[in-house]
Amino acid sequence: MKRYFLSSVIIGIIVVSAAQKPGFAETMPENIDGYFAYNGSVYAKAGGTICAFSKPGHLDIFRRSRPAPDLNITAISTYKYIGLCPVPRAFFDFGNSGYFSFGNGSFCGFPNPQVQLEYRQRYNAHLVKRISSDPKAFMKYTGRCS
């Protein structure tokens, strides 16, 4: 019975993660205890709260902005699950272009190096470098940065 219940909870978590749109209902604390894999998904843990990652690029931005060790977590039912991890404010590249994550579930693309330099002077944000998957899969594209 417990095994069936835990499987149902995990399936429910996966469905919620897949259905959640950009724009995050809750945030994670700035200091992350660590990252762990559980039942095919990767999570971040901060205190009693956990959140999940939808795509490799999502994890790339978060993990490079908030470095922390890998954890050995064997059960997640005792943690507060807030859905997808909020993408932090960061500069990143995908393909041949540079982008800026506003930290609220949206991002813009740099039309030229001058605009990118202006943003770097204006915003104190992590430089994540290249990510491994299309950011449109986990954030809303707002167009060209201006």
Side-chain angles (χ1 to χ4, degrees), residues 32-115:
I32 301 300
D33 299 335
Y35 299 90
F36 66 96
Y38 182 80
N39 205 30
S41 295
V42 177
Y43 298 86
K45 176 188 170 298
T49 303
I50 60 171
C51 61
F53 300 96
S54 62
K55 300 289 180 194
H58 184 187
L59 176 61
D60 292 342
I61 291 174
F62 201 94
R63 192 162 196 160
R64 292 177 191 160
S65 297
R66 296 179 178 174
D70 291 332
L71 302 173
N72 184 18
I73 304 285
T74 57
I76 62 173
S77 61
T78 60
Y79 296 102
K80 177 184 178 189
Y81 176 71
I82 63 167
L84 293 178
C85 296
V87 179
R89 184 179 283 182
F91 295 96
F92 64 95
D93 295 329
F94 178 73
N96 294 324
S97 299
Y99 299 94
F100 179 69
S101 164
F102 289 99
N104 65 1
S106 66
F107 73 104
C108 63
F110 295 114
N112 58 57
Q114 181 60 37
V115 173

